[in-house]
Amino acid sequence: MRATKACISLDAIRHNFATLRAQVGDARIMAVVKADAYGHGLVPVARALPQADIFAVASLEEAVELRQAGIDQRILMLEGFFHADELPEIFAQELEVVVHHDAQIEALEALDSGNIQVWLKLDTGMNRLGFRPSEAIEALKRLRACQAVREPVFCMSHFANADEPDEGFAGAQLQDFLDHVEESTPPSGCRWRSIANSAAILTQPDAHLELVRPGLALYGCSPLPGKTGTDHGLIPVMTLESKLFAIKPVNKGESVGYGRSWQAQEDTRVGLVAIGYGDGYPRHARSGTPVWVNGRRVPLAGRISMDMLAVDLGPDSNDRIGDRVVLWGPELPAETVAEHADTISYTLLCGVTRRVYFEYRSRETEAN
Ligand SMILES: Cc1ncc(COP(=O)(O)O)c(C=O)c1O
């Protein structure tokens, strides 16, 4: 059997949740599990987080998958409903929705009953989803007048560059959000305000407010340039691993792989690893990208193929066929691999394909 697998440590995800919990004081935590829990598996990740106050998904389909698996915590659809015909299912499944657009308010106005929790999204500078802060008062007024909408409406926004806090834009976004939420809510204020993603949780305590929304940090990676999850006390949840399935001597000057983009600088031994872009390993990873083999990092040699990649094990190496290879995980941060592939760790985690075998590990299951 092909040895390629993604090992998902449910203990690591619980550790990361507890680490973030300790960092955010009284703020509640919305665990962002959209995109199949950033490629880790929606249902197993949600089941590992019974303490999450609420889950965030990107679509009705993801929310229903959670409900069908018996997850009864609160669930927010981050982009709200795409069409009014989703509303009956949203009511039936007791889901919460972001409202970011007039068309969504109109759909809610057309209903004469219901009890839906709405999160009004304000666009404070991302210029993606949301009402401009100056439109908040009017939007809230309309939502409050809807028979189908539960009081109070909550407010949220999203940072454009919380990973660059020194640049000042995130601070301005936060201030704009706070000013307009204050202005537009009754004297009791908006009960739940939320703006912080992983980067803001780690760098901007002022932004924690009543509820934080970590995604990447839950999975043990850092959103901050030049940092890894370990720098924040987080543990990588996914280990993507395979095995050496061939080793061959390559002479100085000979090339390896498609395009002959890598040539041996000396006589060496090249290891073939059973993983390629068909498994989600990034095709753009450059020669020299580190790969973990037997306790050390060896460089990738040549282009990634669909089903395999090659590493330069070195002339004096003792590695053998069958030895374990880690592409990313606690031994080798996904952030480091992402840098070598001109991408971000988010895409690596989300990109592992379904032909990779997923193995879920936790102390509880190992004990059984
Ligand atoms: C609205 C919203 N909140 C929170 C998050 C979580 O972001 P991160 O993974 O950077 O913590 C995302 C992710 O894209 C998002 O779209």
Side-chain angles (χ1 to χ4, degrees):
M1 203 175 97
R2 200 160 170 259
T4 311
K5 61 182 177 183
C7 297
I8 307 297
S9 166
L10 300 173
D11 295 320
I13 201 151
R14 285 188 279 261
H15 165 91
N16 296 336
F17 185 88
T19 303
L20 296 172
R21 172 71 90 206
Q23 226 168 316
V24 301
D26 292 336
R28 311 279 175 104
I29 299 186
M30 179 185 291
V32 181
V33 293
K34 62 186 176 140
D36 204 22
Y38 289 41
H40 292 70
L42 176 61
V43 170
V45 165
R47 285 201 178 125
L49 293 174
Q51 310 90 334
D53 297 290
I54 175 167
F55 289 113
V57 297
S59 67
L60 181 58
E61 290 76 8
E62 291 176 339
V64 169
E65 193 180 333
L66 286 177
R67 285 286 183 254
Q68 283 174 347
I71 301 292
D72 58 10
Q73 282 136 289
R74 298 170 53 190
I75 301 175
L76 174 65
M77 291 166 59
L78 283 177
E79 293 169 14
F81 49 93
F82 295 91
H83 193 273
D85 63 10
E86 295 174 48
L87 282 165
E89 185 73 4
I90 287 171
F91 285 116
Q93 303 287 352
E94 297 187 26
L95 306 174
E96 305 183 15
V97 294
V98 166
V99 165
H100 56 80
H101 197 266
D102 267 337
Q104 292 173 319
I105 302 191
E106 281 156 25
L108 291 167
E109 284 171 337
L111 301 173
D112 51 19
S113 66
N115 186 27
I116 191 170
Q117 179 64 60
V118 164
W119 294 68
L120 179 67
K121 182 146 187 186
L122 300 187
D123 178 3
T124 51
M126 180 76 148
N127 286 318
R128 212 175 53 171
L129 297 185
F131 294 88
R132 289 191 181 275
S134 57
E135 299 164 337
I137 295 181
E138 179 58 22
L140 272 170
K141 202 163 97 194
R142 285 177 66 193
L143 284 170
R144 289 212 175 96
C146 290
Q147 304 290 320
V149 171
R150 180 190 304 174
E151 280 277 11
V153 170
F154 302 146
C155 293
M156 62 182 281
S157 190
H158 196 46
F159 284 121
N161 65 345
D163 54 336
E164 300 168 302
D166 297 342
E167 206 254 332
F169 192 73
Q173 276 194 271
L174 175 61
Q175 200 51 55
D176 203 17
F177 179 59
L178 294 177
D179 291 348
H180 284 87
V181 170
E182 179 79 16
E183 229 172 65
S184 50
T185 52
S188 55
C190 177
R191 197 150 63 90
W192 281 22
R193 301 162 301 168
S194 176
I195 190 168
N197 55 2
S198 297
I201 292 169
L202 299 169
T203 60
Q204 285 188 256
D206 296 358
H208 293 170
L209 307 177
E210 285 75 44
L211 182 133
V212 295
R213 308 192 305 264
L216 191 68
L218 272 180
Y219 307 102
C221 287
S222 175
L224 306 180
K227 300 257 186 219
T228 65
T230 323
D231 296 328
H232 311 294
L234 304 169
I235 302 176
V237 173
M238 180 190 291
T239 304
L240 184 65
E241 61 179 69
S242 188
K243 287 188 174 170
L244 291 174
F245 74 110
I247 295 178
K248 62 165 53 183
V250 173
N251 297 325
K252 181 176 176 180
E254 286 183 322
S255 65
V256 169
Y258 288 119
R260 306 191 63 234
S261 66
W262 183 88
Q263 275 101 35
Q265 301 300 305
E266 58 179 342
D267 292 353
T268 190
R269 297 175 80 226
V270 164
L272 280 307
V273 185
I275 189 163
Y277 63 78
D279 304 287
Y281 191 88
R283 163 75 173 69
H284 289 103
R286 294 185 291 270
S287 285
T289 300
V291 173
W292 185 97
V293 184
N294 285 322
R296 70 196 194 285
R297 292 178 184 192
V298 297
L300 199 68
R303 289 199 190 142
I304 308 299
S305 304
M306 188 183 291
D307 312 312
M308 68 185 96
L309 56 79
V311 291
D312 183 4
L313 296 169
D316 306 318
S317 51
N318 300 314
D319 311 286
R320 299 197 185 174
I321 289 177
D323 284 353
R324 179 169 172 256
V325 176
V326 174
L327 290 311
W328 59 74
E331 295 87 347
L332 174 63
E335 295 91 321
T336 307
V337 178
E339 261 173 47
H340 283 83
D342 296 324
T343 186
I344 51 177
S345 55
Y346 295 80
T347 64
L348 299 188
L349 301 178
C350 289
V352 176
T353 64
R354 291 300 126 186
R355 85 166 171 181
V356 174
Y357 176 70
F358 272 64
E359 186 176 287
Y360 291 89
R361 290 185 181 164
S362 84
R363 274 194 300 270
E364 284 158 29
T365 49
E366 272 156 27
N368 289 333

